[in-house]
Amino acid sequence: MTAAPSPSASLSLRVAPAVFVLLWSTGFIGARLVLPHAEPLTVLCLRFAATVALLGPLCLVLKARWPTSPRQVFHVAVAGILVHALYLGGVFAAISLGMPAGLTALVVGIQPLLTAALAGPVLGEKTTARQGLGLVLGLAGVAAVLGDKLAPQAGTLFDGFGVAAMICALAALCGITFGTLYQKRFCQGVDLTSGSLIQFIVSGVVLLPFAYTFETMRVDWTAEFIFGLAWLVVGLSVGAVTLLLAMIRHGAAGRVASLFYLVPPTTALMAWGLFDERLGPLALAGMAVTVAGVALVVAPRRQTLVQR
């Protein structure tokens, strides 16, 4: 018989998704703040280095458990490259190439459909008809929220940015999708603190040669850049990523992925508050549809009183 979680643990599990969505959504806003002052891979190398400087002492203080075999280290590193280097590299590169942050969020927001489709053959998880309906509703709601950004301008969908930006966004989508599945499949039981430290070190090592080769690596150290970088490190790399890995460990991959449907509308709300980007009736209706879709996907199944 499995012991019931403590009230404090249950409360943490209920609050974690909302906190995660808020933190993760600020990543697109943070990118908008820092990218005018440095190139994307340079920003990420600085971000990863600062995160390692924070997590290193934290591992010592918490006496974090380290992976016990080279195979485990390898799996942690692969998951980190997918979730950090490929996903973040794709997002930052897409935004730097001119793709609106909202549209980038929408492309990456397709992740739950891919994760739900792949969770069955990869992880053996089942997607119910109700969850399938929720995934479709969520995607439709996200499309409605950011419909204005998808509308063709000057007769072309790619007005203001090129195909390269879309390719980067799609690469980010693949990174976060396969990274979530890989983390769930191969990294169970790994200490979150030490595992994250390894992942950020490896991701920085992977991106640094590309930044050195293809970018100038010059940084305009303005107050806006320093604030944005600090938030990306503390709020995103430490706070949001730790929550994401914890939720992957404690929940089904398909349900965790469904939370990403809430990121684009939340990002749109933040952009409205910070940059006065107005939301029309269609966008508000889309947000309501998105919330309903996510509720269908993440709602726990009814369990019988007698466990067989």
Side-chain angles (χ1 to χ4, degrees):
M1 185 174 179
T2 304
S6 65
S8 59
S10 298
L11 178 62
S12 298
L13 291 175
R14 288 196 299 268
V15 172
V19 175
F20 168 77
V21 169
L22 288 174
L23 290 177
W24 199 265
S25 299
T26 63
F28 299 95
I29 304 299
R32 181 169 175 175
L33 289 176
V34 300
L35 286 176
H37 307 287
E39 293 157 297
L41 299 186
T42 299
V43 170
L44 289 177
C45 287
L46 289 172
R47 174 178 173 177
F48 294 160
T51 303
V52 168
L54 285 178
L55 288 179
L58 188 61
C59 286
L60 296 177
V61 172
L62 298 178
K63 298 181 179 179
R65 293 178 292 103
W66 295 91
T68 56
S69 67
R71 180 188 294 269
Q72 198 172 40
V73 173
F74 172 79
H75 287 316
V76 171
V78 170
I81 291 172
L82 291 170
V83 172
H84 302 306
L86 183 56
Y87 167 68
L88 291 176
V91 167
F92 275 60
I95 294 175
S96 72
L97 289 172
M99 179 178 284
L103 179 55
T104 307
L106 178 63
V107 172
V108 178
I110 302 173
Q111 181 218 359
L113 286 179
L114 297 181
T115 301
L118 295 173
V122 176
L123 302 177
E125 296 181 3
K126 295 181 179 180
T127 301
T128 66
R130 183 193 66 189
Q131 290 175 326
L133 175 61
L135 291 169
V136 173
L137 285 176
L139 182 59
V142 168
V145 170
L146 299 172
D148 291 339
K149 294 187 180 298
L150 283 173
Q153 302 292 329
T156 172
L157 178 65
F158 298 103
D159 185 55
F161 62 94
V163 177
M166 181 61 75
I167 293 174
C168 290
L170 291 175
L173 170 62
C174 292
I176 193 64
T177 299
F178 289 103
T180 298
L181 292 169
Y182 198 96
Q183 183 82 26
K184 178 72 175 179
R185 176 67 177 83
F186 295 106
C187 302
Q188 292 287 354
V190 175
D191 186 281
L192 293 178
T193 310
S194 61
S196 296
L197 178 62
I198 293 171
Q199 290 181 342
F200 283 116
I201 291 174
V202 173
S203 297
V205 170
V206 168
L207 289 185
L208 184 59
F210 291 96
Y212 181 80
T213 302
F214 299 107
E215 298 182 350
T216 64
M217 299 193 74
R218 289 196 296 266
V219 178
D220 182 16
W221 292 95
T222 64
E224 183 179 70
F225 176 82
I226 294 172
F227 172 80
L229 181 64
W231 177 250
L232 289 173
V233 171
V234 177
L236 274 296
S237 292
V238 177
V241 170
T242 299
L243 271 179
L244 174 62
L245 298 180
M247 288 187 298
I248 291 173
R249 174 179 294 181
H250 294 292
R255 293 183 179 182
V256 171
S258 67
L259 294 171
F260 284 89
Y261 270 138
L262 291 175
V263 171
T266 304
T267 302
L269 273 175
M270 291 180 176
W272 169 68
L274 294 173
F275 308 114
D276 197 30
E277 294 183 4
R278 300 287 179 174
L279 295 174
L282 179 61
L284 295 175
M287 278 197 285
V289 172
T290 299
V291 171
V294 172
L296 286 174
V297 174
V298 303
R301 301 175 184 176
R302 293 182 179 272
Q303 296 181 346
T304 57
L305 294 177
V306 179
Q307 299 293 332
R308 295 183 181 274

